[in-house]
Amino acid sequence: MLAMQMKHFIYLPLIISTAILSACDLDVDNNLPGVPAEGFFAAVGANQHSGLTDVQVGAAVFADGEPINLVGGDAFQASTTSDSTLLLKRGFYTGTYVGDLPNPANQSDVSIEIVHDNLAVTESRWYPTEIFNIDPGPGELVGGSASLVLPPAPTITMPQQNTVFGFITDTITLNWDQGADTVKVRSQVTCSNGVQEVTYGTEATLTDESDDGTETISMDQLIYDVNLGSPNLEFISGQARALLQELIVQLSAGAADENFFKEFFPINPAENNCEIRLFLFRERPGSFATPTTNGTIVGSRSDEVTILYQPLVQPL
């Protein structure tokens, strides 16, 4: 099982599930959705965004539906042939680990392994390592590994930057250079009435996920209506949410809006001006060292374009 049981991983990039408890406040569980209730589950995700030299990497391991925190000096390590990094930051979901892998040479092959590095891991913790540096030795997950290949970077050609849309019934034609992989479209939406602001993330439901260079997306897949609800809109969550979090933190130099992860709506996006950052992800599945490992592993590269929603007709 993953070398014993991934040994076992999970992928933090970007997927969806929608759970609206009220029109203004959405429930966000502390566990990653989609994890089976029995057995081990592993997932790994890595994405390199256009213009960035780092790869955002996320990983986790679950047993019987519950996250397994790595113990002692154990850590996920992400590597190319020339650089490596330990995933020492905690992700949005319990048991998830994220980090940024330097990739200035724009390499495509990335490997993930659970290693034991007591000194490096304990240096990242709050307590004085000279007092509490007790090493229990490698845990049972050490040695679990996986590999992935980042596909060629996509380039969005339409719509143009800052194109304005005025109706929630509008459609957006998204064009990019054609490839041979699969694609996902996610967004960060920020809306303001001049006093208050709301930020949230979505994942568009595509006609298909083929890398054919064109897709049509409706504005109601991006703009949430607090009063009427938005049956075509899916809020980003799970693995997708975890890696999008890391990407937005990178792009904002650490200044990401906390409300993006809370999904709280003090104003109605459908009635206010919104900035929509559309992210196109070209994805390619990776593989675990042990073929019988239960889990997901995906490598991706991404591009983005910003469009604007400025409502000309207020929703009824």
Side-chain angles (χ1 to χ4, degrees):
M1 299 161 83
L2 212 231
M4 188 215 146
Q5 268 121 290
M6 171 149 147
K7 260 182 165 175
H8 331 296
F9 271 175
I10 98 182
Y11 141 52
L12 296 189
L14 319 200
I15 74 183
I16 290 303
S17 74
T18 306
I20 302 177
L21 293 188
S22 72
C24 296
D25 200 359
L26 306 183
D27 177 53
V28 179
D29 193 2
N30 66 351
N31 199 0
L32 190 78
V35 176
E38 296 183 0
F40 285 98
F41 183 85
V44 177
N47 178 72
Q48 184 165 11
H49 189 65
S50 175
L52 296 183
T53 57
D54 287 349
V55 178
Q56 286 74 52
V57 186
V61 177
F62 290 78
D64 296 331
E66 296 297 323
I68 299 175
N69 289 311
L70 299 184
V71 298
D74 296 352
F76 290 100
Q77 178 177 271
S79 306
T80 62
T81 58
S82 56
D83 290 282
S84 66
T85 190
L86 296 178
L87 310 187
L88 298 178
K89 292 185 291 183
R90 293 302 184 105
F92 179 82
Y93 290 94
T94 302
T96 60
Y97 297 84
V98 295
D100 301 315
L101 172 64
N103 190 24
N106 206 35
Q107 297 184 55
S108 295
D109 294 321
V110 176
S111 62
I112 312 291
E113 183 179 5
I114 300 179
V115 300
H116 183 78
D117 189 337
N118 186 63
L119 181 60
V121 172
T122 53
E123 282 180 346
S124 70
R125 296 173 179 163
W126 64 269
Y127 52 76
T129 57
E130 65 274 12
I131 299 176
F132 297 106
N133 190 8
I134 301 174
D135 184 7
E140 66 166 342
L141 300 180
V142 170
S145 63
S147 61
L148 54 84
V149 176
L150 304 178
T155 300
I156 296 174
T157 56
M158 282 187 60
Q160 298 297 310
Q161 187 80 357
N162 294 324
T163 297
V164 177
F165 296 85
F167 300 92
I168 203 165
T169 54
D170 285 343
T171 57
I172 303 146
T173 299
L174 182 66
N175 291 342
W176 66 93
D177 58 316
Q178 186 174 341
D181 295 282
T182 59
V183 297
K184 296 288 181 65
V185 176
R186 295 149 186 145
S187 74
Q188 179 194 29
V189 183
T190 302
C191 306
S192 174
N193 63 2
V195 177
Q196 293 179 296
E197 184 174 279
V198 60
T199 301
Y200 59 94
T202 73
E203 179 158 348
T205 300
L206 306 181
T207 304
D208 59 57
E209 296 181 354
S210 62
D211 195 359
D212 57 6
T214 187
E215 186 67 42
T216 299
I217 301 166
S218 60
M219 186 59 67
D220 64 358
Q221 289 187 313
L222 305 171
I223 298 299
Y224 181 61
D225 192 326
V226 168
N227 298 323
L228 301 180
S230 300
N232 293 329
L233 185 150
E234 293 185 274
F235 291 102
I236 193 167
S237 68
Q239 300 171 21
R241 181 180 182 144
L243 265 193
L244 186 56
Q245 169 189 1
E246 187 67 12
L247 173 58
I248 289 172
V249 168
Q250 264 275 18
L251 295 173
S252 62
D257 186 347
E258 290 182 357
N259 289 325
F260 175 74
F261 311 114
K262 295 178 181 176
E263 294 174 1
F264 176 74
F265 292 87
I267 63 173
N268 189 2
E271 298 175 351
N272 293 279
N273 291 343
C274 302
E275 178 186 87
I276 304 167
R277 296 175 70 176
L278 280 179
F279 294 88
L280 174 70
F281 292 85
R282 174 175 283 152
E283 298 187 340
R284 182 175 295 179
S287 60
F288 295 105
T290 302
T292 56
T293 298
N294 183 23
T296 58
I297 175 168
V298 176
S300 63
R301 281 193 167 103
S302 57
D303 193 17
E304 70 171 295
V305 64
T306 297
I307 59 175
L308 305 175
Y309 170 71
Q310 298 175 358
L312 298 175
V313 176
Q314 302 296 333
L316 298 177

